[in-house]
């Protein structure tokens, strides 16, 4: 598909649903959020340049939800004029902004590309929102903005000190949003700091489909299970944690997607902006995850202990109390659910979306 060409899954019925612009909607978290949007009566309008995704994900969203009505616009969010035109054409009420690059290691070797996509891209979207009169934005931030823990669990008041360019881009966009909402403009923002999203839609139709060798634990484990990788390297078994391996707060992507709808509705209902952690409040080690995945899939995961990965923190997890207080939201799905659904996705799509492209 050529840049700028509009792809329509089906004709748009302008009168039926409230339309939400979803930049990055073809990606991992974006596609799951599109399912939730449709199921709650909204119409996602997806903008994506497919740098890290496939349009097949949105076809699958249509299969899951039974809709045939998700407009998909192939464009880069840095094209401000085009973003404004799309917001106007579809009369979007709000933006749920997922578009950006997310590989921490790559951000250290190609930082300008990360600032260009994540910071310049967000600036462009905000400019377009101002011009088109769109008032609400939900932004994908990350627990990575906290950096080395001064205390745990991380609360939203924990000092912000990202330790890599990717984290700096998220922090910079947070600053930009805070300055914008403090100005006289009438845009409000919900900044969501995700912990470690894993799992997939229980149908197994959509899931995370990384390019090349996965950087993250869960997709790597799942690829070992289907025979695409010989074994998992466990990065470090000498941390000061219960079993020596790294501890993280894993969150089911469907719980995360649901939180976006709650955040969106909060922004549409009241003028206040907010910043909130999205995690479970529980930390699991690498070996906990491997064991849970083995149980869910029935596959043995070969592993080798390897050196610590440079830049990794030993352990962190969220304080989820403010999410419950502010949004009335908390996670409901367990590590077992995350592993079962990851396996449903990986076993049904061993090569991701590739076969359908
Ligand atoms: P993803 O790579 O699957 O999705 C991002 C989407 O944005 C992709 O479809 C990609 O093609 C698109 N995109 C990237 N740059 C673009 C641009 N300039 N213009 C248009 N589209 C562009 O990643 P994800 O895991 O779904 O993450 C979504 C967001 O959440 C990202 O901003 C990421 O930084 C953030 N986040 C992710 C995690 C995680 O672990 N997955 C954790 C915290 C925060
Ligand atoms: C989890 C644990 C690894 C791979 C990253 C980003 C963060 C956020 C989420 C976007 C760690 C260990 C991993 C492997 C392993 N993304 N591991 N072998 O590093 O916590 O967070 O993704 O915002 O910003 O930094 O996630 O899944 O890579 O690692 O042993 O092959 O698994 O050392 O302890 P991480 P991860």
């Amino acid at each position: 598909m050529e840049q700028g060409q509009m792809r329509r899954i089906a004709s748009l019925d302008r009168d039926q649903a409230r339309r939400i612009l979803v930049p990055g909607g073809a990606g991992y978290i974006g596609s799951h959020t599109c399912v939730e949007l449709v199921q709650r009566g909204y119409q996602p309008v997806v903008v994506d340049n497919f740098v890290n995704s496939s349009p097949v994900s949105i076809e699958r969203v249509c299969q899951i939800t039974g809709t045939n009505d998700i407009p998909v616009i192939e464009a880069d969010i840095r094209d401000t004029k085009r973003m404004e035109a799309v917001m106007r054409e579809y009369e979007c009420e709000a933006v749920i902004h997922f578009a950006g690059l997310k590989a921490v290691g790559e951000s250290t070797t190609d930082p300008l590309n990360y600032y260009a996509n994540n910071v310049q891209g967000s600036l462009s979207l905000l400019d377009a929102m101002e011009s088109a009169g769109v008032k609400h934005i939900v932004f994908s931030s990350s627990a990575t903005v906290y950096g080395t823990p001064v205390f745990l669990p991380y609360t939203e008041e924990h000092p912000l000190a990202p330790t890599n360019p990717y984290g700096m881009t998220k922090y910079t966009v947070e600053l930009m949003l805070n300055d914008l909402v403090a100005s006289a403009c009438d845009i409000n923002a919900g900044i969501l700091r995700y912990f470690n999203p894993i799992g997939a839609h229980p149908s197994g139709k959509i899931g995370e489909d990384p390019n090349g060798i996965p950087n993250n634990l869960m997709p790597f484990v799942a690829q070992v299970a289907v025979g695409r990788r010989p074994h998992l390297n466990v990065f470090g078994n000498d941390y000061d944690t219960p079993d020596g391996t790294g501890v993280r707060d894993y969150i089911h992507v469907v719980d995360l997607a649901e939180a976006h709808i709650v955040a969106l509705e909060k922004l549409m209902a009241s003028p206040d902006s907010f910043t909130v952690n999205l995690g479970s409040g529980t930390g699991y080690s690498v070996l906990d995850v491997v064991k849970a995945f083995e149980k869910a899939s029935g596959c043995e995961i070969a592993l080798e202990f390897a050196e610590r990965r440079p830049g990794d923190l030993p352990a962190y997890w969220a304080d989820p109390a403010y999410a419950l207080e502010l949004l009335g939201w908390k996670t409901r799905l367990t590590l077992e659910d995350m592993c079962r659904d990851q396996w449903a996705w990986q076993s049904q799509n061993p090569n991701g979306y590739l076969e359908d492209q």
Side-chain angles (χ1 to χ4, degrees), residues 38-39 69 73-74 108 111 122 138 142 145-146 151 168 173-174 189 206 212 218 229 236 272-273 276 278 333:
V38 174
Q39 287 177 342
D69 202 7
I73 294 117
E74 184 173 10
T108 64
S122 299
V138 177
S142 167
V145 295
Y146 294 120
F151 56 81
M168 285 304 298
V173 176
E174 286 200 11
I206 54 172
M218 185 51 112
R229 312 277 159 209
D272 297 337
S273 294
V276 66
L278 295 180
L333 297 166

Side-chain angles (χ1 to χ4, degrees), residues 23-30 47-54 75-78 97-102 117-118 121 139-143 166 170 194-197 208 216:
Y28 172 47
I29 305 168
V47 167
D48 207 299
N49 65 359
F50 303 114
V51 68
N52 195 38
S53 57
S54 157
D76 192 301
I77 56 168
R78 287 168 287 180
H97 170 29
F98 296 102
L101 304 178
K102 63 166 182 178
N117 268 278
N118 296 3
F139 173 63
S140 303
S141 189
S142 167
Y166 166 72
K170 292 291 172 189
Y194 314 156
F195 281 68
N196 286 54
E208 188 170 13
N216 298 114

Side-chain angles (χ1 to χ4, degrees), residues 303-323:
L303 58 82
E304 289 181 9
F305 291 112
E307 292 297 302
R308 294 180 179 193
R309 186 170 61 178
D312 267 358
L313 294 167
Y316 62 81
W317 59 96
D319 183 334
Y322 186 54

Side-chain angles (χ1 to χ4, degrees), residues 44 54 71 86 110 116-117 125 187 191 193 216 219 242 254 265-266 277 296 299 313 324 331-332 342:
S54 157
V86 171
D110 197 4
N117 268 278
L125 270 179
I187 291 178
I191 296 173
R193 293 180 180 153
N216 298 114
V254 171
E265 292 182 342
K266 176 94 180 157
N277 286 339
C299 301
L313 294 167
L324 185 59
T331 58
R332 61 183 176 84
Q342 183 84 29

Side-chain angles (χ1 to χ4, degrees), residues 52 207-215 218-233 293 299-302 342-343 345-357:
N52 195 38
E208 188 170 13
D209 182 19
N211 282 331
I213 300 171
N215 296 311
M218 185 51 112
F220 202 108
V221 168
Q223 289 195 6
V224 173
V226 290
R228 281 177 68 182
R229 312 277 159 209
H231 67 270
L232 171 73
N233 286 310
F293 190 88
C299 301
E300 197 178 326
I301 304 300
Q342 183 84 29
W343 179 237
W345 156 250
Q346 190 72 60
S347 55
Q348 290 174 41
N349 305 273
N351 297 310
Y353 293 116
L354 201 62
E355 273 133 27
D356 275 17
Q357 279 174 322

Side-chain angles (χ1 to χ4, degrees), residues 329-347:
W329 172 93
K330 63 177 181 173
T331 58
R332 61 183 176 84
L333 297 166
T334 63
L335 181 61
E336 286 64 39
D337 297 323
M338 302 178 213
C339 293
R340 180 201 60 222
D341 296 337
Q342 183 84 29
W343 179 237
W345 156 250
Q346 190 72 60
S347 55

